[in-house]
Amino acid sequence: MRKCLLMAAAAMMAAMCLQARADNAMKLATPAMEPRLTYETNGSYHPELELRQGDNAFVAQERVDASAGKNWTWMRTNDNVKPYKVMDDLSFVGIPVFAAGWIIKSEKALFRQDYKNPHSNTRLITNFKTGIDDYTQYFGPVMTVGLKLGGYEGRSDWGRLLGSSLMSYAIMAAFVNGIKYTASEMRPDGSTANSWPSGHTATSFVGATILHKEYGLTRSPWFSVAGYGVATATGVMRILNNRHWISDVLSGAGIGIMSTELGYALGDVLFKGRGLLRNDLQGFSDNPSFFAISMGMSFGSKSLDFGYENLKNSEDLDFDVEDDERLKIDFHTATAVDAEGAYFFNKYVGIGGRLRVRAMTAKGWSDFIGIAHEDRDMTIQTINDWYNMFSPTPVTEEHVDGLLNGIISDEEITVESDHLTEFSANVGLYLNLPLSRRFSLGTKFLAGRTMTQELDINAAYKGTTKNMDTHIVFDNGELSDLSISNLRDGEKYDIEWDYLTLGGNNSTTFGTGLSLTYRHKSNFLWKAFVDYDFSKKKFKLTYDPLRFMKVTAPDLGALFETMDVKLDPQVFERSKNMHYITVGGSFAISF
């Protein structure tokens, strides 16, 4: 019995050990059950990995380290980037910008100067001259390449970026040169007949749009503001340098934007999903706060005239002026460039401000160069006539001409500025009316100050002064005896003065306007606007044709002053209500 019990106990222990081993074996054979999502990638977007949970979509993403030399890859593709669709990436905004330049081409019918004038010293029409625009046209590509070299990822890897950029510049060059040498439009300075459209501006806007697409749309809208701001400044400098008309700049900007959009569209077709690193920023904000850069044309007050009633010292004159003897100055349509921004408290109401530069070019302003020559000839002839008339010794006109030889040996009449430029700063109330997810209407009510930079024609004479002996006797206030003799050379002189200037005072300005905003992508906007501005300005015209008389023939000048023949400048003043309607377009960002 005892033996049987021992055998039974051993059997039970063996069974328990086998059970423990079986339990342990089962535990070791069972893998840990942890939820994982694994997938294989080949460097492209995988729509099958896009999972949906309710209304929120999320995509399985693999983080790619852009550092450690990977920014030097040729056609790297991030796995979380969707291929671009051609039509989704075209804005077509370049078309109306180009068309606006083409429509206003007729404004250049009257050139700012007589560029056929054989006198080379009358060719320069403004002393504004800068070569900065030769460099700012490359701001966009330099900025884009610099960011990439710094390891800051944009839209495309190197291969796709270079391919899209080269196609953009090639399309732009074909458009610009094809139109330039077909239209044969004369430049404002009369140098060459290849003015329309502006190649510098087109090049600058290609670079700005590349920066906009690579970093503005994918990283921060302020890259776009920087690019388009510098591009706009380049176009303005081309105008101020008298190398282009506003129509040339507008058409050049339109070609630059269109060419880049076409170049990138071709890149999307050729490269498909390869070489893409980032997609555009997503999401639409309901807040209409914005910062914008604008360009437009101002129509309205385009002429100023001055008559006898506007002459400040008219009481000193002893003769009457006919009513129709008026000095009238007409202007071309003005160019307006703006920087504008507003902060909105909600969808409808905000406050903001606008900085505007408006420049009007005077028509025929250089015609006064010819008038200056006439004033010079008339003054020298007056010296001749007076010497002949009042010399005690009879002399011939030819003899006096010889004595006057060298009185003006070097002459330069220069249009220092033919732009009546107005700078204004306004602040006020901004209103917004949403029409749909992408479109909205806006208006504003602004007040501020405006200042004006004057038009100016400068005269510079060199030569030899002419001295003479004068004898004058008055009897009871009446001239009884006058004689001039001994005309002779004096000292060398070199004088420079403002021959003719026109400017306006600082004044208060009021403005309003309507705008239509299209939200193109995320926080990028295009605006079309019509603004109205009003100011009351006092204009001052100073005409000083006889300043040189006091220097070249001081004795005779003093004699004139004694006889109340005024050699002082004629000063005209008048007030005028200035009305402007500005039509234009803006590139804007919302924030």
Side-chain angles (χ1 to χ4, degrees), residues 224-237:
S224 302
V225 172
Y228 283 117
V230 173
T232 302
T234 301
V236 172
M237 283 187 285

Side-chain angles (χ1 to χ4, degrees), residues 256-527:
I257 296 172
M258 284 192 302
S259 298
T260 311
E261 293 200 334
L262 289 174
Y264 269 73
L266 289 175
D268 293 337
V269 172
L270 295 175
F271 300 116
K272 296 183 169 44
R274 292 176 298 163
L276 288 174
L277 303 180
R278 297 182 68 88
N279 280 132
D280 293 349
L281 300 169
Q282 298 299 317
F284 281 75
S285 171
D286 291 335
N287 194 301
S289 300
F290 71 92
F291 174 81
I293 298 172
S294 311
M295 181 176 289
M297 304 295 295
S298 291
F299 305 89
S301 303
K302 296 176 62 176
S303 67
L304 288 170
D305 62 276
F306 299 88
Y308 178 73
E309 72 279 5
N310 306 124
L311 189 61
K312 286 189 63 176
N313 55 346
S314 59
E315 66 278 2
D316 296 333
L317 300 180
D318 57 0
F319 60 89
D320 294 328
V321 179
E322 298 294 334
D323 292 338
D324 58 351
E325 291 182 2
R326 306 184 68 84
L327 177 60
K328 185 176 182 181
I329 302 172
D330 294 321
F331 296 91
H332 290 281
T333 300
T335 305
V337 179
D338 304 343
E340 185 175 20
Y343 174 79
F344 279 77
F345 305 107
N346 50 46
K347 293 182 181 180
Y348 308 103
V349 181
I351 57 173
R354 181 191 69 195
L355 297 175
R356 168 165 287 173
V357 180
R358 180 188 291 112
M360 296 189 299
T361 305
K363 297 180 180 179
W365 186 243
S366 60
D367 292 344
F368 287 101
I369 293 175
I371 297 175
H373 293 322
E374 294 175 3
D375 290 336
R376 171 208 61 196
D377 296 339
M378 181 178 64
T379 303
I380 294 177
Q381 185 62 42
T382 300
I383 298 175
N384 189 317
D385 294 340
W386 276 56
Y387 195 82
N388 273 303
M389 184 182 304
F390 299 106
S391 174
T393 304
V395 293
T396 63
E397 184 171 337
E398 290 76 12
H399 178 65
V400 178
D401 286 340
L403 294 174
L404 293 176
N405 184 39
I407 190 172
I408 300 177
S409 60
D410 190 10
E411 171 195 35
E412 185 173 358
I413 309 294
T414 305
V415 177
E416 296 287 342
S417 172
D418 67 342
H419 293 76
L420 191 65
T421 304
E422 184 180 85
F423 303 88
S424 61
N426 299 69
V427 295
L429 179 68
Y430 283 73
L431 303 176
N432 181 70
L433 177 63
L435 300 178
S436 68
R437 184 166 177 258
R438 291 186 180 270
F439 287 94
S440 63
L441 283 175
T443 187
K444 56 198 172 190
F445 301 93
L446 305 177
R449 295 287 290 175
T450 175
M451 60 175 290
T452 304
Q453 183 182 38
E454 65 185 14
L455 292 89
D456 181 22
I457 294 181
N458 188 70
Y461 285 177
K462 295 180 182 179
T464 304
T465 61
K466 299 296 178 179
N467 297 326
M468 61 196 76
D469 298 329
T470 61
H471 176 73
I472 183 170
V473 177
F474 286 92
D475 186 8
N476 295 325
E478 298 291 334
L479 179 64
S480 62
D481 188 22
L482 172 62
S483 65
I484 304 173
S485 62
N486 194 19
L487 181 63
R488 61 194 181 276
D489 289 343
E491 299 177 348
K492 299 289 185 181
Y493 73 88
D494 184 350
I495 62 170
E496 183 175 349
W497 78 99
D498 291 332
Y499 170 80
L500 182 64
T501 60
L502 172 64
N505 68 325
N506 298 343
S507 60
T508 301
T509 178
F510 301 95
T512 185
L514 291 174
S515 64
L516 176 65
T517 299
Y518 169 68
R519 189 178 293 271
H520 171 50
K521 282 190 175 183
S522 182
N523 48 358
F524 295 93
L525 318 172
W526 296 106
K527 288 176 174 282

Side-chain angles (χ1 to χ4, degrees), residues 133 135-141 198-211 223-239 249-250 252-254 256-257 293-295 337 587:
D133 48 343
Y135 303 99
T136 54
Q137 62 177 321
Y138 303 116
F139 173 81
S198 169
H200 278 65
T201 308
T203 300
S204 186
F205 271 87
V206 168
T209 309
I210 290 174
L211 181 62
F223 288 113
S224 302
V225 172
Y228 283 117
V230 173
T232 302
T234 301
V236 172
M237 283 187 285
R238 297 304 286 170
I239 298 172
V249 168
L250 285 174
I257 296 172
I293 298 172
S294 311
M295 181 176 289
V337 179
F587 168 80

